[in-house]
Structure formats: structure tokens, C-alpha cells
Amino acid sequence: MELHDVWFVLIAVLWTGYFFLEGFDFGVGVLTKLLARNRAEKRVLINTIGPVWDGNEVWLLTAGGATFAAFPEWYATLFSGFYLPLLVILVCLIVRGVAFEYRVKRPEESWQRNWETAIFWTSLLPAFLWGVAFGNIVHGVKIDRDLEYVGSVWDLLNPYALLGGLVTLTLFTFHGTVFTALKTVGEIRERARALALRVGLLTAVLALAFLVWTQVDNGDGKSLVALVVAVAALVVALMANQAGREGWSFALSGVTIVAAVAMLFLTLFPNVMPSTLDADWSLTVTNASSSPYTLKIMTWLAAIATPVVLLYQGWTYWVFRKRIGTQHIAEPAH
């Protein structure tokens, strides 16, 4: 296996880790409107991800940085062609981080309610737009002979990509719902389990349609295995949720995300951005990659830094592993 193939796999792993981790905290953000009934319950939801949400975003920074260094042509075409949706995602992530920090800086109800509304929308929009972006990457876009995107933003809003956006939105919301059931106690835990069933059933229908569409378009035997694993894991996750086994349900919803993202990258390889104008103009792991020397240096750096990051993030989740409820929410100090 060549180094550019290795880095394609590593970038796939980074995006998978990002969607697994950021997926549930996007889902929790959406639940601040769908599940929480009062200010105390919103605080419970936000506190379940409070210690970890910013660490989850490290995976996005690493995935973007690795793409820039390992596949500069891919990075250039992707970020120039998808400029508007990626800008919206970036603004949402900035506002979302500010909302977490500033929500409790003033005691007025209107102030806190506005920031909570910001958390909802800046969780929902990226969850949807990431699916739209990856749907276009896999399905192909208008790339010319100069390896530049020549389509418009409206070309990105095609049925396949929009379906992909609905899948990521519902899947992340389901992932966040079972995470909430895992991390909370009392009435909010029971309502989270009930909501997880409804959201999970909707997710299963949308995900099955999207993955089958992907398989029919570009799939092979390996992607078919990933499809079966994704669907089976989602079904068993729903069963575990109904049985009150929140830990298993969360783990299996994570397996669904991992298998679905793996399927997308399996159908994509050896392309990194297929061209719908001419297959010969597609960006591939070969024509979009950096020099072998650059990839070699990156490999050594990744081998040293990655275990440290994983150990630190694992320790963070272990420290904040206990369940919380409204009884653990202190009265405002204002």
C-alpha cells in the first residue's frame, strides 16, 4: 500500500471519529428544543456534553489539516467549490462555542433563551450540511480538466445530497438521544429513550434509502458489507434502547455511524472527488496527493501524536462518566 493510500484511510478514520463524537453533541444540541421542557432540563442536556464538546471538534481540525497536507488538490477544490456551505458550518461552530460559554453570563431569561436557541440552530445546521457535503463528494461534482469545481452552489443541492443531509441530521439526533439516555437519570432519561425509538425508526428508513442508493451507484462487495453492518447495528441499537440498555444502544449507534462513513469512503476510493463532467478529470489519491517525502514526515508525526490525543480524550470521558439529572443542577449564582 502506497503512503497516499494510507493517508486516505487515515483521513477516513479522522472523519469517522469526528462524526462519532461530534455527532452525539450535535444531537444533544438539537434535543434542547425537542426534549427539554424547562430551563433546568436544558442545563442538564448542555452539561452532558459541556466537558467534551470542544475536544470533539479537535477531530475536525485534524481531518481538515491532514487533508490540506496530504491531499492539497483535494483540499483546494473542496474548500473553494463548497465555500458557502463550509462557511455556514464554520460560522455555526463559532457561534455554538460562544453560546455554550456566554449563555450563563447574565441572569436575564431572554439572554439565556436566545443563546439556547443559537445552540439548537448551530447544532442542526452543521448536522445537515455535513451530510450534504459528503453526499456531493461521493456522488461527484462538476470538476473540469484543471481540477477545479465549475458548478454553482445550487448544483450541490441535488436529491442525493439532500437525502444525505437528512440522514446525518436524523442519525446524529438519534445518537444524541441515546447518549442523553445514557448520561441522565430520572424523567428526562425515560423521555429520551421514548424519543430515541421514534427518531431511530425515521433514521432507519432514510439511512436505508441513502445507503442502498449509494450501493447501486458505486458499490462493491466491501461497501455492501458496510451497508449491512450499518443497518443491522441501527436495528439492534433500537432494540437495546427499548430494553433499557443505554450503553449498548449508544455503542451500536456509534457502530452505525462508523459503518456508514466507511461505506462512503469505500465507494469513493480511489477517487477523492469524482468529476461528473469526465471521469478522467476526477481527483484521485494519486493526482491530488502531496509528495512522498511530505507524506512520510506526516506519518511519523501522526504515529507520535495520535496515541497521546486518544489517551487524553479517553481520560476526559472517563472522568466525566457519571449520570446527571435536574437534582444536580445548582441554582444560578446571580
Side-chain angles (χ1 to χ4, degrees):
M1 182 181 287
E2 299 290 337
L3 278 178
H4 51 65
D5 297 331
V6 172
W7 273 97
F8 179 86
V9 173
L10 291 177
I11 288 172
V13 170
L14 290 171
W15 280 111
T16 302
Y18 174 66
F19 289 144
F20 180 96
L21 296 172
E22 190 83 315
F24 71 73
D25 71 46
F26 280 149
V28 171
V30 173
L31 292 180
T32 56
K33 288 287 188 182
L34 300 184
L35 183 65
R37 292 179 175 174
N38 52 49
R39 180 66 27 79
E41 290 188 352
K42 290 183 179 180
R43 291 177 65 189
V44 169
L45 291 174
I46 294 171
N47 284 358
T48 62
I49 59 173
V52 298
W53 69 266
D54 47 356
N56 294 343
E57 292 185 355
V58 170
W59 289 78
L60 172 62
L61 299 176
T62 308
T67 304
F68 172 77
F71 298 100
E73 287 285 356
W74 185 11
Y75 182 93
T77 304
L78 175 63
F79 279 79
S80 59
F82 293 20
Y83 179 81
L84 183 58
L86 292 179
L87 177 63
V88 172
I89 290 173
L90 177 61
V91 171
C92 284
L93 294 179
I94 292 172
V95 174
R96 190 169 180 264
V98 173
F100 282 131
E101 300 298 332
Y102 273 69
R103 187 182 61 86
V104 293
K105 296 299 183 182
R106 289 172 56 178
E108 292 89 348
E109 182 177 348
S110 59
W111 171 273
Q112 296 187 7
R113 184 174 60 250
N114 289 338
W115 284 119
E116 289 162 357
T117 300
I119 290 172
F120 169 77
W121 286 109
T122 57
S123 298
L124 184 148
L125 286 175
F128 175 74
L129 290 175
W130 278 128
V132 173
F134 271 83
N136 279 290
I137 291 173
V138 172
H139 197 59
V141 292
K142 295 179 179 179
I143 298 175
D144 64 11
R145 66 172 66 250
D146 297 320
L147 305 183
E148 295 181 358
Y149 177 70
V150 293
S152 69
V153 67
W154 302 111
D155 293 322
L156 303 178
L157 302 178
N158 55 80
Y160 177 83
L162 292 174
L163 178 58
L166 292 176
V167 170
T168 52
L169 175 58
T170 54
L171 181 55
F172 291 170
T173 303
F174 173 70
H175 197 41
T177 307
V178 295
F179 177 79
T180 300
L182 175 65
K183 289 288 294 179
T184 58
V185 295
E187 183 184 350
I188 193 169
R189 174 190 176 192
E190 298 304 319
R191 281 192 279 114
R193 286 175 52 198
L195 181 61
L197 176 62
R198 299 194 295 273
V199 175
L201 291 174
L202 176 60
T203 302
V205 173
L206 294 174
L208 182 61
F210 179 73
L211 295 178
V212 168
W213 190 344
T214 305
Q215 178 67 23
V216 170
D217 272 358
N218 302 300
D220 57 14
K222 294 179 182 178
S223 61
L224 180 59
V225 172
L227 186 158
V228 172
V229 171
V231 173
L234 182 56
V235 171
V236 180
L238 285 168
M239 295 169 61
N241 174 74
Q242 287 301 101
R245 303 296 297 272
E246 291 97 346
W248 281 104
S249 183
F250 176 72
L252 288 163
S253 70
V255 171
T256 302
I257 293 175
V258 171
V261 177
M263 181 185 177
L264 295 183
F265 277 93
L266 285 169
T267 57
L268 186 61
F269 185 82
N271 294 320
V272 293
M273 283 189 75
S275 172
T276 57
L277 300 179
D278 190 322
D280 292 335
W281 298 345
S282 297
L283 289 169
T284 68
V285 293
T286 304
N287 65 17
S289 69
S290 294
S291 67
Y293 182 70
T294 300
L295 296 177
K296 184 176 180 180
I297 293 175
M298 290 176 60
T299 303
W300 280 107
L301 291 175
I304 295 171
T306 303
V308 176
V309 174
L310 292 175
L311 286 171
Y312 176 76
Q313 194 160 25
W315 175 79
T316 302
Y317 277 91
W318 175 256
V319 170
F320 295 102
R321 66 189 182 277
K322 293 184 178 179
R323 295 176 182 266
I324 62 173
T326 53
Q327 66 270 28
H328 301 115
I329 301 299
E331 291 296 323
H334 298 287

Short mmCIF file of all heavy atoms in Angstrom, two decimals, residues 47 122 210 305:
data_model
loop_
_atom_site.label_atom_id
_atom_site.label_comp_id
_atom_site.label_asym_id
_atom_site.label_seq_id
_atom_site.Cartn_x
_atom_site.Cartn_y
_atom_site.Cartn_z
N ASN A 47 -25.01 20.23 30.03
CA ASN A 47 -23.96 19.74 30.93
C ASN A 47 -23.48 18.34 30.56
O ASN A 47 -22.36 17.96 30.90
CB ASN A 47 -24.46 19.74 32.37
CG ASN A 47 -24.50 21.14 32.97
OD1 ASN A 47 -24.11 22.10 32.32
ND2 ASN A 47 -24.99 21.25 34.19
N THR A 122 -27.35 26.08 15.62
CA THR A 122 -25.96 25.83 15.23
C THR A 122 -25.55 24.39 15.47
O THR A 122 -24.42 24.01 15.14
CB THR A 122 -25.01 26.76 16.00
OG1 THR A 122 -25.19 26.60 17.42
CG2 THR A 122 -25.23 28.22 15.62
N PHE A 210 -30.69 5.93 1.53
CA PHE A 210 -29.46 6.59 1.11
C PHE A 210 -28.34 5.58 0.85
O PHE A 210 -27.63 5.67 -0.16
CB PHE A 210 -29.03 7.58 2.19
CG PHE A 210 -27.74 8.30 1.88
CD1 PHE A 210 -27.70 9.29 0.92
CD2 PHE A 210 -26.57 7.98 2.56
CE1 PHE A 210 -26.51 9.96 0.63
CE2 PHE A 210 -25.39 8.63 2.27
CZ PHE A 210 -25.36 9.63 1.31
N ALA A 305 1.86 11.60 17.76
CA ALA A 305 0.86 12.46 18.39
C ALA A 305 -0.48 11.76 18.63
O ALA A 305 -1.15 12.02 19.63
CB ALA A 305 0.65 13.71 17.54
#
